[in-house]
Amino acid sequence: MLILLPPSETKTPGGAGAPLDLASLSFADLTGVRESIITDLGALSPDNALPVLGISEKLRPEAVANTVLRTAPTMPAVLRYSGVLYDALAADTLTPAALNRLAIGSALFGVVRAGDHIPHYRLSGGTKLPDPKGTTPTMKARWGSAITDVLTGVDDLIIDLRSGTYQQLGKVPGAVTVRVESVQGDGTRKVVSHFSKHYKGELARVLATSPQEATTAGEVADIARGAGMTVEINEGKKETLTLVV
């Protein structure tokens, strides 16, 4: 199974790895789009980048980072991303076998494996990035069917934990998707928003470290239940599984 995680706006700075080598990244069919996005992103001056990226002057260093994507130090993608989901995942404690089950979707790289080395950058799935033609295509338009194409070529079952914005960049037919709901005092359910990242991080860790391999949604649910989680299977619904917290 391949567990597909969302990226995060917050990232760990620095790194000790060599500069970005696009040829070394997984899913080589995405290289062309990656190259064009990196070129267009790096062509923006920090002043022009702030409104394009939707960030304030306080985050100017994020815009500056985009101008040195080809020369900046790198680190494994799963360590580059930080925040609620990645805190729960605790990737620095995972074995190589567990890390091999993880991939990360993003606006800049499309999808990479956990161990692929990437630099610090700033770009979200909702950004409209100017191109040399003078137009401002969406990230969805830039990626087209490329992400879907490479992911449908994966033999393993994909558990897609990306947020809606990143699922739209490349939908995966047949992937297991998950929603998180909490039980209210009156017994009704409420979809968990922000903290769903935490619970998805916990689920990703449980699945990545499982000695069992899942090939169906039911087997994914069984692994989660074995770890004490409450999971429901939703036949015929958009979210294949519901994680009840």
Side-chain angles (χ1 to χ4, degrees):
M1 56 184 158
L2 182 67
I3 304 147
L4 185 54
L5 304 175
S8 62
E9 293 287 7
T10 55
K11 298 177 182 67
T12 305
L20 178 64
D21 177 10
L22 287 175
S24 72
L25 299 182
S26 303
F27 307 105
D29 287 349
L30 301 180
T31 300
V33 182
R34 291 165 175 162
E35 180 76 45
S36 66
I37 293 175
I38 288 171
T39 297
D40 293 347
L41 195 57
L44 287 175
S45 70
D47 285 342
N48 292 332
L50 295 181
V52 170
L53 300 174
I55 58 178
S56 67
E57 177 65 32
K58 187 171 81 170
L59 294 177
R60 177 176 285 267
E62 299 279 285
V64 173
N66 286 344
T67 66
V68 291
L69 291 173
R70 299 182 191 276
T71 58
T74 61
M75 68 173 64
V78 76
L79 301 180
R80 176 65 72 190
Y81 297 103
S82 59
V84 176
L85 185 151
Y86 288 90
D87 288 344
L89 179 65
D92 58 341
T93 66
L94 295 178
T95 65
L99 291 172
N100 193 50
R101 283 178 168 172
L102 299 173
I104 302 160
S106 75
L108 181 55
F109 297 107
V111 58
V112 293
R113 295 274 183 176
D116 288 345
H117 278 63
I118 62 172
H120 188 136
Y121 72 92
R122 181 76 179 217
L123 183 67
S124 70
T127 300
K128 294 182 179 180
L129 180 64
D131 63 17
K133 300 176 182 178
T135 62
T136 54
T138 63
M139 301 315 299
K140 182 178 179 180
R142 282 177 173 267
W143 284 107
S145 66
I147 297 173
T148 296
D149 291 344
V150 297
L151 289 176
T152 52
V154 172
D155 291 333
D156 300 317
L157 176 70
I158 293 179
I159 299 95
D160 190 352
L161 300 182
R162 294 175 299 170
S163 58
T165 296
Y166 292 95
Q167 287 183 357
Q168 288 299 316
L169 296 187
K171 295 183 178 181
V172 188
V176 174
T177 55
V178 179
R179 68 186 289 155
V180 182
E181 294 183 347
S182 62
V183 180
Q184 306 302 293
D186 61 0
T188 60
R189 299 280 189 85
K190 181 180 180 181
V191 175
V192 177
S193 53
H194 176 70
F195 284 103
S196 70
K197 296 177 182 178
H198 170 79
Y199 297 114
K200 286 185 176 181
E202 289 188 334
L203 176 61
R205 182 178 178 86
V206 164
L207 296 175
T209 58
S210 173
Q212 300 170 297
E213 186 65 43
T215 59
T216 66
E219 290 174 351
V220 172
D222 288 342
I223 292 172
R225 290 167 182 156
M229 295 179 161
T230 301
V231 178
E232 299 171 350
I233 300 176
N234 307 318
E235 297 292 349
K237 293 187 178 181
K238 177 182 177 182
E239 292 84 11
T240 316
L241 302 177
T242 297
L243 177 60
V244 184
V245 299

